[in-house]
Amino acid sequence: KQEVTQIPAALSVPEGENLVLNCSFTDSAIYNLQWFRQDPGKGLTSLLLIQSSQREQTSGRLNASLDKSSGRSTLYIAASQPGDSATYLCAVRRSEKLVFGKGTKLTVNP
Amino acid sequence: DVKVTQSSRYLVKRTGEKVFLECVQDMDHENMFWYRQDPGLGLRLIYFSYDVKMKEKGDIPEGYSVSREKKERFSLILESASTNQTSMYLCASRTDRGLYNYGYTFGSGTRLTVV
């Protein structure tokens, strides 16, 4: 059974800091991995999608990497801003199942 | 951009009521999904559908049913609402066209409270 773990559960940083969020998964036979952002009381917004054959994807200040063999992904946020404060979820897809981690709650302090 | 629209942001229903949660997507996606999200438990799959009139049970289907009469619309039905169904409900869609493994698009969620 696929399990997805995100560490840390919560992170508080000062504005301007570069930071890394971690995601690990137990079964490397995945189709892809997706990073989402969730604001309090809201739905999920897709940030980055990495296919199993890819190593990384970039969008603006965000960079996500994937090491399928070791079952790890990282989300790098450069020059963090207070508006980046949210919960970040990683999810891996295998067949029809999308398995989520429990998320990392990020707070960026002005 | 794909848009997944959930008709209600907040709902308050009484125990025993039949509750309908509606979800519509506008990009002709074949697959649609219903999840619930609870603190400490994360997101759990309730039901999904890969075509009109088709449905498959997810991890926690008990107490729920679904309906997909049109490709763009996927409804979640709570046959007799109970307080343990108080939760955030999230709808999602995905296409499988071509050889690419597409990602999921989620709606804005419905916060359901059963009293």
Side-chain angles (χ1 to χ4, degrees):
Chain A
K1 179 187 171 187
Q2 177 75 273
E3 293 183 1
V4 179
T5 303
Q6 290 187 247
I7 294 173
L11 181 64
S12 181
V13 301
E15 182 176 3
E17 192 161 298
N18 301 325
L19 58 100
V20 174
L21 307 181
N22 296 293
C23 172
S24 62
F25 47 95
T26 54
D27 184 348
S28 62
I30 64 171
Y31 288 3
N32 54 38
L33 183 146
Q34 201 166 357
W35 281 94
F36 294 91
R37 168 188 172 134
Q38 186 175 32
D39 294 293
K42 302 285 181 65
L44 275 62
T45 299
S46 181
L47 297 174
L48 289 164
L49 173 69
I50 312 179
Q51 300 298 327
S52 62
S53 59
Q54 296 176 323
R55 284 288 201 167
E56 65 177 348
Q57 283 287 335
T58 297
S59 176
R61 294 182 294 109
L62 305 179
N63 176 278
S65 68
L66 175 64
D67 184 342
K68 201 174 67 164
S69 61
S70 67
R72 294 178 188 274
S73 176
T74 61
L75 179 66
Y76 175 82
I77 302 177
S80 59
Q81 303 170 357
D84 294 330
S85 297
T87 296
Y88 291 81
L89 294 157
C90 119
V92 296
R93 182 190 162 196
R94 178 179 178 173
S95 74
E96 292 310 315
K97 293 279 187 151
L98 188 66
V99 181
F100 285 85
K102 298 242 173 93
T104 294
K105 184 176 181 180
L106 173 66
T107 303
V108 181
N109 301 299
Chain B
D1 274 353
V2 177
K3 196 164 184 181
V4 178
T5 302
Q6 294 183 233
S7 54
S8 303
R9 287 295 307 279
Y10 301 96
L11 275 179
V12 180
K13 297 292 181 180
R14 295 195 179 278
T15 301
E17 274 193 79
K18 190 169 186 176
V19 180
F20 293 84
L21 302 184
E22 305 289 345
C23 175
V24 176
Q25 51 93 6
D26 65 359
M27 284 298 289
D28 201 36
H29 282 185
E30 312 87 75
N31 307 289
M32 297 187 75
F33 306 82
W34 276 107
Y35 289 84
R36 65 177 282 179
Q37 184 179 30
D38 301 287
L41 296 176
L43 280 95
R44 294 178 290 168
L45 180 63
I46 305 171
Y47 266 98
F48 65 98
S49 168
Y50 53 88
D51 202 351
V52 175
K53 297 193 185 296
M54 306 303 289
K55 62 183 179 183
E56 294 285 343
K57 293 180 180 179
D59 298 320
I60 51 163
E62 296 79 20
Y64 302 95
S65 62
V66 290
S67 172
R68 193 163 180 204
E69 295 297 319
K70 293 186 178 182
K71 192 173 185 180
E72 67 270 20
R73 185 179 296 270
F74 192 35
S75 301
L76 180 69
I77 303 158
L78 286 65
E79 298 289 345
S80 177
S82 64
T83 54
N84 63 12
Q85 292 179 310
T86 292
S87 187
M88 170 70 98
Y89 289 87
L90 292 159
C91 176
S93 73
R94 188 195 80 225
T95 186
D96 287 331
R97 282 191 286 271
L99 299 176
Y100 187 73
N101 291 316
Y102 290 91
Y104 287 62
T105 300
F106 279 80
S108 56
T110 296
R111 167 67 67 181
L112 173 67
T113 302
V114 183
V115 297

